[in-house]
Amino acid sequence: MRVPTPNDPAHDLARWIPRLLAVWREGRRGSRGGRRPPPDALLPDELREVGAAVARLSRGLTRERELAGARYLDEERLLGAYLLFYWPVSYLQARGTISELPRRPRAVLDLGSGPGPMAFAALDAGAAEALAADRSARALSAARALARAAGEPLGAREWNPARRTPLEALAPGRRFDLVTMGHVVNELWKGQDEDARRADLLEEALRLLAPGGSLLVVEPALRDTSRALLRVRDLLVARGHAVRAPCLFRGPCPALLRESDWCHAERPIDPPPLVTQLGKAAGLRKEAVKMSYLVVAAPGEGWAAPPAGRVFRIVSEPLPSKGRLRYMGCGPEGRMGLALQEKHVTDANRRFESLLRGDVIEVTGVEPRGDGIALGEASSVKVVAPAGRPVPAGPPGTPAPTTAGE
Ligand SMILES: C[S@@+](CC[C@H](N)C(=O)[O-])C[C@H]1O[C@@H](n2cnc3c(N)ncnc32)[C@H](O)[C@@H]1O
């Protein structure tokens, strides 16, 4: 297990655990008298109660998804499950993607904030002020209580995009360096021309950005929610918006070509013991932080030139088979398999053996093989940007094909 150091997300998150527990206990009806609970852990009866609610929320948000779009945060037990299990995970996802922005945001708007994990992650990552907006008054009041406990400058406003109030009305005239939308887009307009309406909302959010700002959308790493995000990405790209991350490819997303493909990211962060304990109680595993995400640049900004050379983002886990290691990569020239045989490993390409999903690499000395490329003894592999770090822009004018496989 990695030991968290000051300023790293796991360390910062550890400081939120007692606040989350305190806010949850304050809002819990019929709070037990008697034994004084520990500030950073659950008592056995609390663990049973929250574990059962986590299991119910998880079922409702993953399998049939009957809770997606429902007012589950208005229900005390489910809000409790959210605060103690999902909040820390969303927080880590936000930290693991905000770290990829080219510059640190100052003013942040968190849409569909719930109890605010994305907003607080942005504040911990150096933002000076954040505004949280959600339709659940109960979730917003938990966000306010957390802000008081932490002494953080968080504003909170009720917001429901279904009511068609313009986003501008949330903070008239204000512009933000970052707008976050964590796990909310997939809950909006399900089955009601959702792709176009979600793209419209994201465009409206983009118009609230200051020059150089970013819109960050994080979604569950499920096939359907991830593919839905990719379709919205394609609509935004077709409308002229530039993607900062994770895409290096400027054309229609190649992962949409085959129904079985999707795109998700993973950050190797240990969740806090409370999350592990609750996950166990609910029969879930959460040892890595998985998500689908998209960072879109403020309107009018073009795509950053990709780094020079043949670059790919690793978009799969390692796929070992019979003396050969493969990954899926996606870069300016599209999505393809990258393979290296064990017998061809050298000092110059050995880094291939330990790549993580999300790393951006530059390869040289490769050959076309099937519908991908093969690395050999003459190849080199260099990590240009590790997962979760900004990709350095290449020289202006670097050509970027827009058709997969071109
Ligand atoms: C899964 S929670 C995400 C909370 C937080 N952003 C995060 O990343 O953990 C989804 C949030 O979307 C909000 N939401 C769902 N439908 C909404 C709607 N029509 N208008 C406003 N918020 C909505 C819910 O109230 C809830 O806070």
Side-chain angles (χ1 to χ4, degrees):
M1 201 209 243
R2 219 168 43 85
V3 180
T5 52
N7 295 328
D8 90 7
H11 179 272
D12 291 347
L13 176 57
R15 297 186 310 151
W16 283 99
I17 298 301
R19 296 171 194 147
L20 290 163
L21 279 164
V23 166
W24 171 67
R25 283 179 178 133
E26 268 163 36
R28 188 177 175 219
R29 230 171 321 150
S31 282
R32 322 283 181 260
R35 223 174 118 191
R36 197 189 172 87
D40 55 359
L42 290 164
L43 293 170
D45 66 324
E46 293 176 329
L47 180 61
R48 266 192 305 280
E49 176 186 318
V50 185
V54 168
R56 184 148 69 92
L57 195 49
S58 165
R59 271 195 308 274
L61 292 177
T62 53
R63 285 191 217 157
E64 298 300 317
R65 311 203 68 242
E66 72 280 3
L67 285 181
R71 292 182 175 265
Y72 51 88
L73 292 186
D74 292 335
E75 196 186 310
E76 183 197 308
R77 293 222 166 176
L78 295 184
L79 175 60
Y82 208 89
L83 280 171
L84 302 182
F85 184 74
Y86 288 95
W87 195 107
V89 176
S90 293
Y91 175 96
L92 289 174
Q93 293 173 337
R95 290 293 298 269
T97 42
I98 290 171
S99 58
E100 218 169 311
L101 301 179
R103 62 177 210 214
R104 183 192 290 180
R106 220 193 98 75
V108 178
L109 172 64
D110 183 15
L111 291 174
S113 62
M118 299 247 141
F120 289 117
L123 288 166
D124 282 354
E129 46 177 316
L131 179 62
D134 200 281
R135 74 172 175 190
S136 165
R138 195 164 198 154
L140 288 177
S141 117
R144 285 191 196 97
L146 287 168
R148 276 195 301 278
E152 290 283 8
L154 181 89
R157 300 246 199 302
E158 282 196 36
W159 166 74
N160 184 345
R163 294 220 185 100
R164 293 173 192 270
T165 318
L167 264 185
E168 178 69 31
L170 271 178
R174 259 175 88 181
R175 291 298 172 261
F176 299 89
D177 306 301
L178 176 66
V179 176
T180 55
M181 298 181 82
H183 301 277
V184 59
V185 172
N186 71 90
E187 301 211 1
L188 302 174
W189 301 300
K190 265 192 308 169
Q192 301 162 45
D193 192 16
E194 72 241 30
D195 293 348
R197 294 173 84 170
R198 291 170 182 173
D200 290 347
L201 176 66
L202 266 51
E203 273 204 297
E204 208 188 332
L206 283 165
R207 289 196 286 275
L208 297 185
L209 291 176
S214 303
L215 167 67
L216 166 64
V217 182
V218 176
E219 290 282 83
L222 303 169
R223 193 187 76 103
D224 287 357
T225 50
S226 168
R227 287 179 67 81
L229 177 63
L230 298 177
R231 291 195 301 273
V232 171
R233 173 242 182 241
D234 279 2
L235 287 174
L236 292 176
V237 169
R239 296 180 192 179
H241 295 284
V243 178
R244 288 198 203 287
C247 315
L248 297 166
F249 183 62
R250 300 183 186 190
C253 177
L256 286 175
L257 291 175
R258 282 190 3 206
E259 274 298 315
S260 54
D261 286 340
W262 76 94
C263 189
H264 73 267
E266 188 166 337
R267 303 284 183 260
I269 301 178
D270 291 322
L274 176 71
V275 170
T276 310
Q277 205 185 16
L278 276 171
K280 223 156 139 202
L284 308 170
R285 280 157 42 114
K286 272 249 180 275
E287 73 286 346
V289 174
K290 289 187 184 174
M291 69 208 144
S292 290
Y293 76 107
L294 182 67
V295 183
V296 188
E301 198 180 315
W303 288 72
R310 278 192 101 166
V311 290
F312 295 92
R313 187 182 289 278
I314 300 301
V315 294
S316 72
E317 64 260 45
L319 305 163
S321 71
K322 293 190 232 119
R324 163 182 103 130
L325 179 60
R326 231 172 128 251
Y327 299 88
M328 291 306 293
C330 191
E333 54 193 301
R335 180 180 160 103
M336 60 188 74
L338 316 174
L340 173 64
Q341 294 197 35
E342 246 168 51
K343 62 182 183 202
H344 293 151
V345 172
T346 66
D347 284 348
N349 64 29
R350 191 178 306 283
R351 189 67 180 81
F352 195 76
E353 295 187 309
S354 56
L355 295 175
L356 294 178
R357 195 189 273 271
D359 287 345
V360 176
I361 59 167
E362 182 195 346
V363 293
T364 64
V366 297
E367 288 174 4
R369 183 75 44 89
D371 53 5
I373 56 176
L375 289 81
E377 279 169 358
S379 303
S380 72
V381 175
K382 184 170 99 187
V383 175
V384 179
R389 293 278 159 238
V391 179
T398 312
T402 55
T403 309
E406 221 176 42

